[in-house]
Amino acid sequence: MRVLVTGAAGFIGSTTAELLLSNGDEVVAFDSLVTGRFENVPPGATFVEGDCGDVELVRSLGHFDACVHFAARIEPSESMKNPEDFFSNNVASSFRLLDALIKSGVERFIFSSSCAVYGDQIEMPIDETRTTQPQSPYGQSKLMVEDGLRWLVSAGRLRAASMRYFNAAGGTLAHPERHIPEGHLIPIALDAADGHREYLEIFGNDYPTPDGTCIRDYIHVKDLAEAHVLAITALENHRELVLNLGSGVGYSNRQVVETVKKVTQRDFEIRYSGRRSGDPAVAVASNERARVMLDWQPEQSDIEVIVADAWAARQALG
Ligand SMILES: NC(=O)c1ccc[n+]([C@@H]2O[C@H](COP(=O)([O-])OP(=O)(O)OC[C@H]3O[C@@H](n4cnc5c(N)ncnc54)[C@H](O)[C@@H]3O)[C@@H](O)[C@H]2O)c1
């Protein structure tokens, strides 16, 4: 199979591209390098540098059996400050990419959506039937692409899967988690553990949760990559899929940080500051639908495994 992977110089895209290659697929790794790193692109993939909204460039790459579209700006808090960047990069570029791919006859499209489409939900776990109510331009940008995909599927243009990830984490030796800027708890806590940060800041300790800090669902990037490969196959039998990808278990920020201290055997200071706007108190997935539709199990997503793998990947960097 010939697969276009956008955002393949990023964290999840590079890990998924590597898995596709190891399964014998031909991978074109496409990335603007706006936040990604060329060294993340797995050897064996053909790298193309460019913006996924560049219709002529995408069309020049020819026919793909499938596209896995990871390329996006990803920080909800940044999207509150610069919403126009997120609508331009995440929405407009995605539809230009789709236009180019449809004209080249793509059959299957896997889209990186997010639990941010759900906003603040009261009842846990969250399943895919919940009313969507994004609370940031980032979450809205993901929902806008999902909505557009639904119309494209019903018009018979392609088959599509929207994958709503909860918190991607972990890492592999070849692909550690590093974002620019880094907004994710585990890599930030590892920075504090290895002395690259003076202290760790936790936003809010007055949430209605047992220890007052937010609760999140962490999913290992290896489990995510596996789900994408399975989704490409599942689209042979389904025209449209909308799937949560999470472990189904929630950990508070405080519990995650304690796990980082335990795994790394390093202590560091925690400082609490005010809540960030747009951060729900709790977000935990029901992953039942993905388990059934993909025959998928999140086997690597125990929090200690996630943190240990993230730490090993960090140390391998030197
Ligand atoms: N990391 C998470 O916890 C998480 C959670 C939910 C959803 N997601 C989604 O998963 C996807 C991948 O996330 P990630 O953590 O690997 O992020 P990342 O920042 O590591 O990777 C994103 C990649 O996309 C590239 N990119 C951005 N805009 C582009 C454009 N217009 N054209 C071409 N390349 C472009 C960047 O250079 C980068 O390499 C994103 O769509 C993100 O919204 C991530």
Side-chain angles (χ1 to χ4, degrees), residues 143-176:
L143 190 57
M144 288 164 82
V145 176
E146 281 197 19
D147 287 344
L149 280 173
R150 202 156 293 133
W151 287 105
L152 292 171
V153 170
S154 69
R157 297 292 186 272
L158 39 60
R159 293 168 178 243
S162 292
M163 315 288 262
R164 296 174 173 171
Y165 320 153
F166 282 63
N167 287 54
T172 63
L173 294 185
H175 305 290

Side-chain angles (χ1 to χ4, degrees), residues 11-12 31-32 34-36 52 70 89 138 142 165 168 179 184:
F11 176 47
I12 312 170
D31 203 295
S32 64
V34 59
T35 56
C52 62
F70 295 100
N89 195 64
Y138 168 72
K142 294 291 177 183
Y165 320 153
H179 292 103
H184 293 190

Side-chain angles (χ1 to χ4, degrees), residues 33 85 116 171 176 180-181 183 204 250 265-266 275 291-292 308:
L33 302 181
D85 288 353
I180 308 169
Q265 301 194 322
R266 311 240 177 129
R275 295 181 183 196
R291 284 176 185 269
V292 171

Side-chain angles (χ1 to χ4, degrees), residues 6-114:
T6 74
F11 176 47
I12 312 170
S14 59
T15 311
T16 305
E18 187 159 287
L19 184 60
L20 286 163
L21 286 164
S22 73
N23 290 344
D25 293 313
E26 180 188 342
V27 172
V28 175
F30 193 98
D31 203 295
S32 64
L33 302 181
V34 59
T35 56
R37 289 179 165 84
F38 173 71
E39 59 267 31
N40 279 345
V41 176
T46 303
F47 179 64
V48 177
E49 183 175 345
D51 190 293
C52 62
D54 184 338
V55 174
E56 280 183 18
L57 178 57
V58 175
R59 285 214 69 186
S60 75
L61 302 176
H63 170 78
F64 291 98
D65 301 294
C67 170
V68 194
H69 179 39
F70 295 100
R73 302 281 306 279
I74 71 162
E75 268 308 314
S77 55
E78 235 190 292
S79 78
M80 303 297 272
K81 293 180 215 144
N82 296 307
E84 61 280 10
D85 288 353
F86 281 69
F87 292 120
S88 166
N89 195 64
N90 293 5
V91 183
S93 286
S94 291
F95 286 117
R96 283 198 297 270
L97 170 72
L98 279 157
D99 184 27
L101 289 173
I102 287 167
K103 286 189 172 117
S104 303
V106 77
E107 288 139 32
R108 290 170 267 173
F109 190 84
I110 316 293
F111 173 56
S112 292
S113 188
S114 165

Side-chain angles (χ1 to χ4, degrees), residues 45-47 62 69 77 88 192 194 249 263 270 276 288 314:
T46 303
F47 179 64
H69 179 39
S77 55
S88 166
D194 70 12
V249 182
V263 167
I270 301 172
R276 288 186 304 197
E288 200 48 41
R314 166 74 61 110

